[in-house]
Amino acid sequence: MAAPAPTRRRILGRLPLPERRFVADALRTETVGGVLLLLAAIAALVWANTPLHESYQTVRDFHIGPAALGLDLSIQHWAADGLLAVFFFVAGIELKRELVAGELRDPKAAALPVVAALCGMAVPALVYTLVNVAGDGSLAGWAVPTATDIAFALAVLAVIGTSLPSALRAFLLTLAVVDDLFAILIIAVFFTGDLNFLALGGAFAGLALFWLLLRLGVKGWYVYVPLALVVWGLMYNSGVHATIAGVAMGLMLRCTRREDEEHSPGEHIEHLVRPLSAGLAVPLFALFSAGVAVSGEALGDVFTQPVTLGVVLGLVVGKTIGVFGGTWLTARFTRAELNEDLSWPDVLAVASLAGIGFTVSLLIGELAFEGDAALTEEVKAAVLAGSLIAALLAGVLLKLRVRKYAALCADEERDEDEDGIPDIYEEGDPDYHLRMAAIHERKAAEHRAKAEAARDRADV
């Protein structure tokens, strides 16, 4: 007797209700932060391209901080190394949660976002490299187009009013978390300067103390915030990029709930810190990093010089092909099927959203071309141009399916029995069908009563 055929696993299917609620809450904050990020980037461009441009440079280059501690930094430097540490701290918590309670805890489910993110970083780097080898350009910026900015991507969704189904939103969020992880590794491995082993040892000792205090159950922000600042300062002086300290501390937090807990410590702290990251840290970084001089000649150079053209094509073409190709390959070789409510053009639209590589791309651009101010500004302009083109392309692709998305979201939100749980999650519950039958009977009776009242008024 022949063995039954194995059940084909579905990808991008409907999320479990608790995961759907977590994703909705997380994306709501990121969307607001993304709009602020967009406004900050526009403000930086306006400030840097008006008669006030000299004041922009003065503020951005103003130094402040204790020189004796090696922290006499410019405002722009504080934003990139200091404020972004908060952003990467939240990214570390997100990654930890995904590993222990989210999409990445199951190796089979994790394969899709991991492969998609890896391909979404490898292909842009390859595109950049090919363009610069052919054009005799610099290979130093190969990592610039590899990063995805989830906040900016969600800001695009908010602006164009597209209601992505929760499965696609969760895929985009998980993809960005994995993308952040590999971006962190790239920064740590390829953009670390001469190491100060004494400072590095002090940073590791501080991290060990941070971990020990967490395990002992010590509570109080007045303990952890000063310790985090010391670890950050030591990490900065060690030659390793200071944002790595934020990631390391985020990964140490416990993100699993105990029986007596409504939220894990990691979820609680993320809930407190995420608004600070999305609403203040990242927009301020954008304000002091996105202010590049834009002119017809400068824009022309973006599309003619190998370095900047490689960044644009890496973001627009490389990211889209990489994420889409990685998703298709995962489905092809794991014998998985795409959720029946979606189609491959939907995956293509999300893949094009991944080409919006703003925050981390700007950071890597500053690190890759440190010491060459002119080329750094040109690369920033290329990141802005590539992200804008990717946003416009994604907007067009998403608008083509907006009616389908609206219908899917309406199905996910429908709660006719008003019990706080969407009906689509209760369809297998016999009690649900009894409740719905009673509701329909009540509505029918109300409709009959209204019809009879209307006839009585007509007779009178």
Side-chain angles (χ1 to χ4, degrees), residues 362-396:
L362 288 176
L363 175 62
I364 294 177
E366 291 179 357
L367 296 174
F369 298 101
E370 190 173 11
D372 190 336
L375 189 53
T376 299
E377 294 296 295
E378 292 170 359
V379 168
K380 287 182 180 181
V383 170
L384 294 172
S387 297
L388 177 60
I389 294 170
L392 293 174
L393 175 62
V396 171

Side-chain angles (χ1 to χ4, degrees), residues 58-82:
T58 301
V59 173
R60 186 180 64 179
D61 297 335
F62 181 76
H63 278 62
I64 189 173
L69 299 178
L71 296 175
D72 182 19
L73 310 177
S74 67
I75 297 296
Q76 182 182 12
H77 213 157
W78 275 111
D81 287 281

Side-chain angles (χ1 to χ4, degrees), residues 437-457:
I439 290 170
H440 290 155
E441 177 59 32
R442 187 184 75 240
K443 289 182 177 179
E446 291 172 354
H447 179 73
R448 288 194 298 269
K450 288 179 181 179
E452 290 175 1
R455 283 197 300 269
D456 291 341
R457 287 194 297 270

Side-chain angles (χ1 to χ4, degrees), residues 115-172:
V115 173
L118 280 172
C119 293
M121 299 186 85
V123 177
L126 179 61
V127 169
Y128 176 93
T129 301
L130 291 176
V131 170
N132 280 272
V133 167
D136 196 25
S138 170
L139 298 181
W142 63 270
V144 175
T146 60
T148 293
D149 193 309
I150 182 64
F152 218 144
L154 291 170
V156 171
L157 289 178
V159 170
I160 64 177
T162 300
S163 300
L164 270 186
S166 60
L168 285 177
R169 287 179 176 265
F171 172 63
L172 182 61

Side-chain angles (χ1 to χ4, degrees), residues 295-310 312 378 381-382:
S295 64
E297 182 180 354
L299 289 176
D301 290 342
V302 165
F303 298 98
T304 55
Q305 295 184 11
V307 170
T308 49
L309 180 60
V312 173
E378 292 170 359

Side-chain angles (χ1 to χ4, degrees), residues 11-89:
I11 61 174
L12 299 180
R14 188 169 67 244
L15 298 177
L17 185 58
E19 184 69 11
R20 181 180 181 275
R21 285 173 171 166
F22 174 82
V23 169
D25 290 341
L27 294 182
R28 193 175 297 113
T29 305
E30 289 287 2
T31 300
V32 174
V35 173
L36 293 176
L37 172 63
L38 187 60
L39 294 175
I42 294 172
L45 287 170
V46 171
W47 193 359
N49 288 275
T50 62
L52 298 174
H53 65 90
E54 290 185 0
S55 67
Y56 177 79
Q57 295 175 356
T58 301
V59 173
R60 186 180 64 179
D61 297 335
F62 181 76
H63 278 62
I64 189 173
L69 299 178
L71 296 175
D72 182 19
L73 310 177
S74 67
I75 297 296
Q76 182 182 12
H77 213 157
W78 275 111
D81 287 281
L83 291 177
L84 279 195
V86 179
F87 166 79
F88 279 106
F89 174 69

Side-chain angles (χ1 to χ4, degrees), residues 175-200:
L175 177 75
V177 170
V178 179
D179 191 287
D180 284 341
L181 169 64
F182 290 114
I184 291 161
L185 293 175
I186 287 173
I187 291 171
V189 174
F190 295 99
F191 298 104
T192 294
D194 295 331
L195 290 178
N196 181 330
F197 287 101
L198 182 61
L200 186 61

